[in-house]
């Protein structure tokens, strides 16, 4: 949003008397000294441990949950009193909140908790004119993606499976956040907006054509083999693909007694 003053703030999950908490209070005090009100909060801080869930410890669970989910609660607690004429709170999530992703178990669980918290905050803050929503973004090639050992595979899969295009940019995600902050979005509350070009809804890669309902085009050799089977009276062969199986069934020559009675009526 060009021309709007912005300030980066950190919600640190710490004890009340910790130095980090005191520093956080000082930052909010500095905010109050510079601004009369707060309009928009984007909770986009994220961290986690990329390991199998069977290898994780309690400290890893707390790490993921406190930074990815609980930090939003702290931000909302500080921000809501400063949103005097209503406002917007937008949290950033990922597909791991819904899908099982290797080495992403604890992070995915924290993102699912984040989206649940968004719904609760939307219910609590809605009467005050504050709208709380989630933006669930697809694979964006940022510095954070460099920590994933399978970065190249993630980008390649995203490019292959996304109907709207092979690349999702930070600007695409920022534009979605902007839409949620417009006055026209005043009745959008407690929902998750997917910004992934259709990646999450795609069952297979774009390079794999969908299976048609009829028989696939046959080669000359296959056509000759089919003609030979027909002339010899052999039954048709079922066609099997990776995603479906279809077979031709011979027509029924006799009706059941029940069908015969219905036909006579």
């Amino acid at each position: 949003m060009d021309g709007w003053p912005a300030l980066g703030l950190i919600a640190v999950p710490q004890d009340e008397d910790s130095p980090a908490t005191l520093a956080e209070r000082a930052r909010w005090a500095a905010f109050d000294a510079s601004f009369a009100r707060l309009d928009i909060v984007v909770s986009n801080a994220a961290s986690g441990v990329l390991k199998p869930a069977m290898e994780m410890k309690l400290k890893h669970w707390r790490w993921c949950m406190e930074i990815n989910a609980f930090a939003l609660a702290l931000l909302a607690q500080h921000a809501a009193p400063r949103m005097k004429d209503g406002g917007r709170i937008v949290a950033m999530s990922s597909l791991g909140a819904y899908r099982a992703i290797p080495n992403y178990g604890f992070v995915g669980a924290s993102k699912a908790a984040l989206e649940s918290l968004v719904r609760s905050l939307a219910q609590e803050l809605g009467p005050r004119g504050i709208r709380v929503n989630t933006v669930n973004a697809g694979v964006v090639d940022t510095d954070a993606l460099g920590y994933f050992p399978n970065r190249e595979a993630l980008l390649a899969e995203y490019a292959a499976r996304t109907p709207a295009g092979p690349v999702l940019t930070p600007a695409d995600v920022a534009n979605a956040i902007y839409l949620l902050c417009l006055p026209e979005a005043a009745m959008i509350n407690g929902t998750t907006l997917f910004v992934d070009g259709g990646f999450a809804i795609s069952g297979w890669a774009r390079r794999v054509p969908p299976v048609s309902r009829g028989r696939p085009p046959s080669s000359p050799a296959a056509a000759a083999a089919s003609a030979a089977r027909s002339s010899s009276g052999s039954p048709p062969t079922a066609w099997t693909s990776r995603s479906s199986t279809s077979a031709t069934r011979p027509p029924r020559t006799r009706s059941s007694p029940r069908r015969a009675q219905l036909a006579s009526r």
Side-chain angles (χ1 to χ4, degrees):
M1 297 182 179
D2 295 338
W4 286 39
L7 182 66
L9 294 167
I10 303 174
V12 184
Q14 298 285 347
D15 296 331
E16 290 294 323
D17 302 335
S18 68
T21 299
L22 297 177
E24 180 185 356
R25 291 173 181 169
R27 282 190 291 269
W28 282 106
F31 174 90
D32 293 334
S34 301
F35 302 96
R37 72 178 194 274
L38 179 60
D39 298 298
I40 298 168
V41 169
V42 179
S43 179
N44 63 343
S47 185
V49 182
L50 300 175
K51 293 173 62 176
M54 296 298 292
E55 300 178 10
M56 295 292 222
K57 307 297 182 184
L58 177 59
K59 63 179 182 179
H60 301 138
W61 179 260
R62 288 174 172 167
W63 180 352
C64 295
M65 283 293 175
E66 291 181 358
I67 294 178
N68 298 333
F70 184 55
L72 172 65
L74 293 180
L75 275 175
Q77 290 168 8
H78 286 291
R82 294 169 169 85
M83 293 181 166
K84 305 185 185 305
D85 301 318
R88 300 288 194 272
I89 299 176
V90 181
M92 298 303 302
S93 185
S94 69
L95 191 58
Y98 299 87
R99 301 278 183 90
I101 300 176
N103 300 322
Y104 202 74
F106 276 24
V107 180
S110 68
K111 293 295 187 179
L114 171 72
E115 295 194 20
S116 179
L117 179 60
V118 163
R119 292 187 288 270
S120 295
L121 291 173
Q123 188 178 59
E124 293 182 24
L125 300 177
R128 299 167 57 176
I130 301 173
R131 304 295 178 250
V132 189
N133 292 289
T134 304
V135 167
N136 191 309
V139 181
V140 182
D141 191 11
T142 61
D143 294 340
L145 196 65
Y147 291 96
F148 286 73
N150 58 338
R151 171 183 171 276
E152 297 299 330
L154 289 172
L155 291 171
E157 182 182 8
Y158 182 85
R161 281 181 51 184
T162 305
V167 178
L168 181 68
T169 68
D172 295 325
V173 181
N175 289 338
I177 297 172
Y178 170 74
L179 291 176
L180 290 175
C181 297
L182 292 175
E184 290 80 359
M187 293 306 291
I188 301 177
N189 193 35
T191 192
T192 297
L193 175 62
F194 284 84
V195 185
D196 61 1
F199 175 84
I201 64 168
S202 300
W204 50 59
R206 288 184 300 142
R207 61 177 178 271
V208 179
V211 178
S212 62
R213 292 185 178 274
R215 286 178 172 273
S218 57
S219 63
S226 177
R229 285 196 302 269
S230 299
S231 61
S232 62
S234 301
T237 303
W239 166 50
T240 304
S241 72
R242 289 194 297 174
S243 57
S244 68
T245 302
S246 62
T248 304
R249 179 181 297 173
R252 303 182 108 176
T253 57
R254 292 188 301 172
S255 300
S256 65
R258 175 63 178 164
R259 290 185 178 179
Q261 292 175 12
L262 293 175
S264 65
R265 293 179 185 175

